[in-house]
Amino acid sequence: METAPKPGRDVPPKKDKLQAKKKKPRRYWEEETTPTATGASPGPPRQKRNRELRPQKPKNTHTAKKSRISKKPQVLKKSLEWRNPGSQQMLSGAQDPFPGPAPVSVEVAQKFRRIDKSKKLPYAKSKTRSRLEVAEAQEEEISVKAARSELLLAEEPGFLEGEDGEDTAKICQTDIVEAVDIASAAKHFDLNLRQFGPYRLNYSRTGRHLAFGGRRGHVAALDWVTKKLMCEINVMEAVRDIRFLHSEALLAVAQNRWLHIYDNQGIELHCLRRCDRITRLEFLPFHFLLATSSETGFLTYLDVSVGKIIAALNARAGRLDVMTQNPYNAVIHLGHSNGTVSLWSPAVKEPLAKILCHRGGVRTVAVDSTGMYMATSGLDHQLKIFDLRGTFQPLSARTLPQGAGHLAFSQRGLLAAGMGDVVNIWAGQGKASPPSLERPYLTHRLSGHVHGLQFCPFEDVLGVGHSGGITSMLVPGAAEPNFDGLESNPYRSQKQRQEWEVKALLEKVPAELICLDPRVLAEVDVISLEQEKKERIERLGYDPEAKAPFQPKPKQKGRSSTASLVKRKRKVMDEEHRNKVRQSLEQQPQKQEKAAKLRGARSSALDRFVR
C-alpha cells in the first residue's frame, strides 16, 4: 500500500507566485548569461533582501552630497571620446565597418587654417606657450570640422561654354534666358525709367533687395526676386549715390546738399548736415561705418551704431569722385585726378599708401573680394590690374577704345566694365586668380550710357544702372553658390534679422583696427615690446624679469660645506652653457644656407650694407 510522501523530503516545495511567473526575456543590449548545466553546481546562492535587518541611517546625521558640477571641464572628456570612438559600444552589438572620423585631406583643411605655425613667438614664457599650443590645437580641430562639412555644400557654381570653339562673348542675353530654367530666367529684366535717369543702384548684403536712385530725385527699394516694391519716393533733389546700411531696413541717400537716412517705408529718419555735398558712399558692414567722399575733398567716417562722426580726413587732392572699399581689410581706396590711388584708414590721418596707376586722372577703381587684386581705369583709356599683396605692381593692362567709366568685381573674381552703352565681362581661372583681359567672357549692349555697376551677392546676376533705367543681366558663374545662413541669409525672417543685428553689434570691430594687413593684429609687436622693456629697466634701475642667479639650498648633517655649494653652482652653470651651445649648433645650418643664398645672388654695390 503506497503512502503519500512527506512534504520536505523528495517532493519539491511549491513554487511561490512570484517565481511561477515567466522568465523575463533578454533584450539585445543585455549581456547574454550562459545557463548552468543540469547537475552542475550553481553559483553562490543569492541573499534574500531582508528589510528588517537593513541598517537604518540615523536621522540627525548629515551626509556630504556630491556636487553635480564637476570641477574639471567636460570638453576634454568629450574630445577624448571623439578621438577614440572604439571605446564606445554600440547598442545593437554590431561593429562599425568604418571606425573613427572620416579622413580629411591636408590640402582641404589648409584652406580653413588661419594660424601660421611657422612663426613662433620669441622669448615666450611657458604659460604663454601653453596657451598658444591650446589655441593651435583648437584651430586645427575647427579647420578639420569645416573641411568635413564641405560635403554638405551641394550647390555648384554655374558656367558658360560655347559649342566647338564658339566665342562666349557672342552669346546674347536672350539666348541665355531661353536656355536656363524659369526661375533663373525671371531674374533677367529691364526697368524703363528714362524720365528720372541716370540711375545708381546697390544690392543688400544678402542679395535679396535692390535699391536705386535717379539723378532727378527718384528713390526706390524692392525685393527684386519677388518684384515686391518696398518703397518709392521722390526727394525733389538730385541723388548722387545710394547705399543699404547693415540691413535692408535702413537706406543712406547722398542728395545734392546733405546726407539723408530713410527706412524701408520711405520715411526720412535723419538728415546729417555735417556731411554736405557728398559724391560717393561706401558702407563697412563689420565696423558699422559709413564712408563718404565729398566735393570739398574730405573723407568722412560715420559710425551708424552711435550716430557720431569718428574721423574726417582731408585728402588734399580736390574733388573726390572715385571711391571704393577693400572687402578684405576695410581700407578705402580713393582715385585722384593726378593718376594716383590712395589707401585710407580712419585711425591714420595720412594715406597708408599711394599708387601711381595712370598718366591721366583715375575714372574708377574696384577691388575683388579676396583683397588681392585692384582694377583701375583712367583717362588714358588704360584698364590695369594691380597686385595688392605688398608689391602694388601692375599684373596686366589693356587699352580700351573708349575707356571704362565703371568697374565691378564679382564674388568669384569676374570683372565687369561699363564703356559707354556696352558692358564687357572678363573671367579668370578661378576665385583667387586675376581676370584675363585678352578675351571678354560676355558682352551686352544697353539702351543708355552706364552709370553704375554691381554684382548681386549669391546670384549670377549683374545689376546695371544707366540713363534708360535698370537692367538685370544673367552672368553664369559670377556668384558664390552657397551662403552662410548665420551671416547672410536671403530667406531670413524679421525675427532672425533682429537677432542677427544684436549679434553683429556685439561683434562690432573697432575702427582703430583697420589696417593694410589684418593678420598683423594677431601677432606680437616684438620691437615695441623690447623698447618698453628697455624703458622699464632704465626707470627701475634693474630688470624685474631677469632670471635670478642660482642659490643652492643649505643641507643638513654637514653637507652644506663651501666646496659642495660651489660644486653645485658650477654644475648648474655648465648645464646652462651646454644648452646655449646646443642652440647655436642648431641655428648654424640656417645661417649657412642664408650665406650661400647671398653668395649665389648677383653682386651689387648695396651688398656692403647687408648684415
Side-chain angles (χ1 to χ4, degrees), residues 84-105:
N84 189 14
S87 61
Q88 298 179 1
Q89 187 177 2
M90 300 181 68
L91 293 177
S92 62
Q95 293 183 355
D96 189 2
F98 304 101
V104 180
S105 62

Side-chain angles (χ1 to χ4, degrees), residues 153-293:
L153 305 179
E155 299 294 334
E156 295 182 357
F159 59 91
L160 181 64
E161 292 183 358
E163 296 180 357
D164 299 333
E166 180 186 3
D167 189 6
T168 56
K170 297 180 180 179
I171 300 176
C172 302
Q173 286 291 308
T174 55
D175 300 335
I176 298 176
V177 170
E178 292 176 359
V180 299
D181 56 296
I182 298 175
S184 300
K187 297 174 184 177
H188 171 70
F189 58 87
D190 284 306
L191 299 179
N192 189 5
L193 302 169
R194 290 188 175 276
Q195 185 178 358
F196 301 103
Y199 278 86
R200 296 276 299 177
L201 78 163
N202 179 242
Y203 287 98
S204 62
R205 286 193 66 208
T206 60
R208 188 65 187 262
H209 299 86
L210 171 66
F212 50 87
R215 180 64 63 87
R216 299 181 184 176
H218 181 215
V219 175
L222 74 156
D223 185 346
W224 70 272
V225 177
T226 60
K227 310 300 187 295
K228 181 181 178 182
L229 186 65
M230 296 167 57
C231 67
E232 185 177 14
I233 57 175
N234 196 312
V235 298
M236 306 301 293
E237 197 176 3
V239 174
R240 298 182 177 180
D241 204 356
I242 188 169
R243 276 292 179 277
F244 277 113
L245 298 187
H246 56 276
S247 68
E248 60 273 8
L250 293 175
L251 197 64
V253 180
Q255 297 179 198
N256 189 29
R257 192 172 182 183
W258 295 313
L259 176 65
H260 296 258
I261 308 294
Y262 297 90
D263 65 353
N264 55 3
Q265 303 297 323
I267 301 173
E268 182 179 347
L269 303 178
H270 303 285
C271 177
L272 305 174
R273 301 190 178 186
R274 291 187 61 185
C275 301
D276 57 336
R277 292 188 284 176
I278 302 299
T279 57
R280 289 291 178 266
L281 295 173
E282 284 291 338
F283 184 72
L284 309 179
F286 299 105
H287 305 77
F288 283 79
L289 293 179
L290 180 64
T292 64
S293 62

